[in-house]
Amino acid sequence: MHRFLGAVGGVVAAGTALAAGYLVADLTGGPWPVDAVGVQVIDWSPGPVKDWAVRSLGTADRPLLRVGICATLAIVAAIAGLIGARGRRRTAVGIAGGVGLVGLAFAVVSRSSAGNLTDRLLPATVTLVVAISTMWLVVRRFDTTAVSRAATTAAEETAGQPTGQPAERTAEQPAEQMAGQPAEVPAAQPVGFDRRRFLLTVSALAAAGVVSAGATRFVGGSGNELRARVRVPRPTDAAGPLRASVDVPGISPFTTPNSKFYRVDTLLQVPRIDPRDWELRVHGLVDKELRISFDQLLQRRLVERDITLTCVSNEVGGPYVGNARWIGVPIADVLREAGVRDGADAVKSTSVDGLTIGTPLSALTDGRDAIFAVAMNGEPLPFEHGFPVRMVVPGLYGYVSATKWIVDFEVTRFQDFSAYWTDRGWSVEAPIKTSARIDVPKGFATVKAGPAIAAGVAWAQHRGIRKVEVQVDNGPWQPAQLAPVDGPDTWRQWTFRWNATPGTHKLTVRATDATGELQTDRPAPPRPNGSSGLHNTVVMVE
Ligand SMILES: Nc1nc2c(c(=O)[nH]1)N[C@H]1C(S)=C(S)[C@@H](COP(=O)(O)O)O[C@H]1N2
Ligand SMILES: [Mo]
């Protein structure tokens, strides 16, 4: 029973420490030690593991990683508490301190959005100090020196006065001692243990933990006011009115709402940058180095564009693609002002947490709408999507172009650097492959016999979609109807009417881009430069 209580106490001690660290992380913007470990785990995981995690768990892999780390810590804390309950209290506190130090080490080395070292170290330091203190508070109740003392006292007492009263403070003393046999007391039975005080301590710690974790909801932590202060600027060059989205139930709307927009990045804790502190440094192979504040960025020429983003890790038919209406500053304008020197062929951009992305200079200067985006679908960028400023480049997968939380923009040469994802086995250059997806009917849906409709989206950013065709079973390829679009940089909705006959049928879709090139039917996995192959869906018609 003592051991069990010790284990519970250890877990509560660790939980309280983590909650305190969480609160401090929220206040400082520094990394919660769990997240510091998590980010490092992400950086260290071999490519295929990471790919698998992204694919099979989607955005759920983030909370899952946190849960996994916390579960591991809970096991270690339970063991420490158990050891403490057996009287080895220093060992228990030592384990808490050791694990806390590991957290501190990760806070130093992991990528983090915290600006200065103090903010970066504070959450882990507080966690460490609280972990040591709470573990001590818990295991201090298991006093085994009290065992020998109590045993000795009991022995003396019983020897001295056979009919004497047992001492009150040894209420839990084994009965045989009171009966006057000064026998061996097992060392692991802390006679000084006061269950009531133990439970009080543990409940107080648990309450403190819950309060500090809960406090993050109230103490300025959400950062929402940072976004609320930003007014969406009026674009110098506005996009035309949005065309009516095709209205087939289940089709992806032309514009993906921000809340539904896919998210791919390597962070557990989303950076919350204060635009007043934000600055973009433009340097490298340029004539004039620039430092642009957020206000200065908003003063520049702003364009508004519909651009579809795609992730290289999207499987055929997968969800990592979305279309939004962005407002931003043309990157070419900034490059022109800085003056690009001869020999440059790339830009290395860096986000606030130190992640790097390499982009071909040509894609930023060839006239396409590559922008430093400040707004997404009529709102300041959501924190998850790069607030306050991110890059958006039509035609390139996100990992080589769409730097969120960008703070540094270096004009350079591909031969002189390597970037985060390319260090992990993804291609250096990655134009988007022509793709088409069936949104409805869903796979294995049941469809009523008779006139039926299939619908979806197709994309080939910066080339545009000219044609989408659907094949029923092994029949001929038949043209789908395409929704009108304004340019080559967005996906295109398509619909296809067919006559569904009873039985099981397979629908397959393929697209042709505006250069006339047909999408390849050769299956390829996402790694190293994007999936290919045709999406199909099997339906039951009755
Ligand atoms: N700072 C930062 N920017 C990033 C990434 C990242 O991990 N960190 N991921 C990139 C990838 S792989 C993609 S596909 C896009 C996704 O942008 P979204 O999350 O806004 O959809 O962001 C890109 N920009
Ligand atoms: Mo991506």
Side-chain angles (χ1 to χ4, degrees):
M1 192 58 189
H2 285 124
R3 291 179 193 184
F4 172 73
L5 287 177
V8 171
V11 172
V12 170
T16 308
L18 287 173
Y22 190 73
L23 177 61
V24 177
D26 204 55
L27 289 169
T28 57
W32 189 36
V34 171
D35 289 349
V37 172
V39 164
Q40 197 61 56
V41 167
I42 291 174
D43 283 5
W44 278 340
S45 13
V49 173
K50 200 189 323 226
D51 299 351
W52 171 82
V54 168
R55 271 204 308 273
S56 58
L57 307 169
T59 39
D61 62 349
R62 265 175 282 265
L64 245 139
L65 186 52
R66 277 181 168 170
V67 168
I69 293 167
C70 286
T72 311
L73 289 173
I75 292 169
V76 174
I79 293 171
L82 202 143
I83 292 174
R86 295 179 61 182
R88 301 184 55 193
R89 302 181 298 168
R90 290 220 178 111
T91 311
V93 174
I95 293 173
V99 174
L101 278 175
V102 170
L104 191 63
F106 276 95
V108 176
V109 300
S110 296
R111 279 183 299 115
S112 156
S113 57
N116 58 54
L117 197 64
T118 318
D119 286 348
R120 175 177 276 238
L121 294 183
L122 261 177
T125 308
V126 167
T127 309
L128 168 67
V129 171
V130 176
I132 291 176
S133 321
T134 50
M135 189 61 86
W136 170 245
L137 282 176
V138 166
V139 298
R140 159 176 106 105
R141 296 281 158 233
F142 300 97
D143 186 353
T144 43
T145 55
V147 171
S148 30
R149 244 186 288 121
T152 323
T153 320
E156 281 163 1
E157 279 169 359
T158 42
Q161 24 174 253
T163 53
Q165 313 241 321
E168 280 136 16
R169 67 188 156 78
T170 54
E172 291 194 8
Q173 204 168 345
E176 66 269 20
Q177 280 179 35
M178 293 179 219
Q181 290 141 21
E184 243 89 286
V185 179
Q189 290 295 318
V191 189
F193 184 73
D194 180 339
R195 179 171 309 187
R196 207 176 65 89
R197 287 180 70 182
F198 173 83
L199 292 178
L200 268 174
T201 306
V202 169
S203 328
L205 290 180
V210 169
V211 167
S212 37
T216 52
R217 305 189 63 205
F218 303 102
V219 291
S222 79
N224 286 337
E225 74 287 350
L226 298 176
R227 271 186 86 230
R229 266 204 298 271
V230 172
R231 250 183 356 108
V232 175
R234 189 184 293 277
T236 329
D237 177 358
L242 273 173
R243 294 182 187 275
S245 196
V246 169
D247 200 16
V248 172
I251 193 176
S252 306
F254 178 71
T255 302
T256 313
N258 290 352
S259 60
K260 297 265 169 62
F261 208 95
Y262 82 92
R263 173 184 166 201
V264 174
D265 57 59
T266 58
L267 291 180
L268 293 151
Q269 205 173 6
V270 177
R272 296 181 194 274
I273 301 173
D274 188 333
R276 290 170 298 193
D277 301 334
W278 181 87
E279 190 180 65
L280 181 66
R281 179 167 173 237
V282 180
H283 63 113
L285 295 174
V286 293
D287 296 330
K288 188 172 73 175
E289 185 169 323
L290 305 177
R291 281 174 184 276
I292 306 173
S293 72
F294 188 66
D295 280 340
Q296 287 166 343
L297 194 72
L298 296 190
Q299 308 286 306
R300 304 182 75 107
R301 182 171 79 98
L302 290 156
V303 300
E304 181 183 47
R305 298 289 184 264
D306 296 322
I307 300 167
T308 299
L309 274 188
T310 310
C311 184
V312 70
S313 61
N314 195 43
E315 294 271 10
V316 171
Y320 300 128
V321 52
N323 180 58
R325 177 160 277 202
W326 311 89
I327 297 174
V329 169
I331 294 174
D333 288 3
V334 173
L335 284 172
R336 208 172 302 119
E337 186 179 327
V340 175
R341 296 226 180 119
D342 286 348
D345 65 359
V347 162
K348 173 184 162 196
S349 53
T350 309
S351 65
V352 68
D353 58 307
L355 179 137
T356 52
I357 282 182
T359 310
L361 189 62
S362 58
L364 306 174
T365 52
D366 67 1
R368 76 181 81 185
D369 291 315
I371 54 174
F372 292 119
V374 296
M376 179 178 186
N377 291 332
E379 285 177 33
L381 294 180
F383 289 116
E384 292 78 11
H385 297 291
F387 182 83
V389 182
R390 75 172 305 167
M391 284 172 59
V392 173
V393 182
L396 303 182
Y397 286 118
Y399 83 104
V400 289
S401 69
T403 317
K404 306 195 270 190
W405 315 291
I406 187 174
V407 293
D408 192 281
F409 189 81
E410 181 186 353
V411 179
T412 176
R413 299 184 299 182
F414 273 119
Q415 66 191 68
D416 292 341
F417 76 104
S418 65
Y420 182 87
W421 298 102
T422 49
D423 284 342
R424 286 159 179 79
W426 297 87
S427 300
V428 172
E429 300 213 27
I432 291 170
K433 296 181 181 176
T434 304
S435 309
R437 182 176 77 190
I438 303 170
D439 290 336
V440 278
K442 298 260 171 270
F444 302 105
T446 308
V447 173
K448 270 215 182 69
I453 192 159
V457 284
W459 60 91
Q461 289 94 305
H462 208 54
R463 297 185 299 281
I465 291 291
R466 172 181 297 173
K467 187 163 72 177
V468 170
E469 296 161 291
V470 177
Q471 183 188 42
V472 181
D473 299 322
N474 292 315
W477 285 98
Q478 304 172 63
Q481 206 183 351
L482 292 178
V485 286
D486 290 318
D489 294 337
T490 62
W491 61 14
R492 209 160 173 185
Q493 295 172 302
W494 60 265
T495 50
F496 176 74
R497 288 167 198 287
W498 61 299
N499 187 36
T501 55
T504 299
H505 295 291
K506 182 168 88 166
L507 301 175
T508 309
V509 66
R510 70 179 189 189
T512 302
D513 74 15
T515 71
E517 192 162 336
L518 177 64
Q519 159 185 4
T520 177
D521 60 2
R522 198 164 43 83
R527 186 172 281 269
N529 62 3
S531 64
S532 66
L534 305 186
H535 188 213
N536 66 57
T537 186
V538 173
V539 294
M540 264 76 80
V541 180
E542 27 173 73

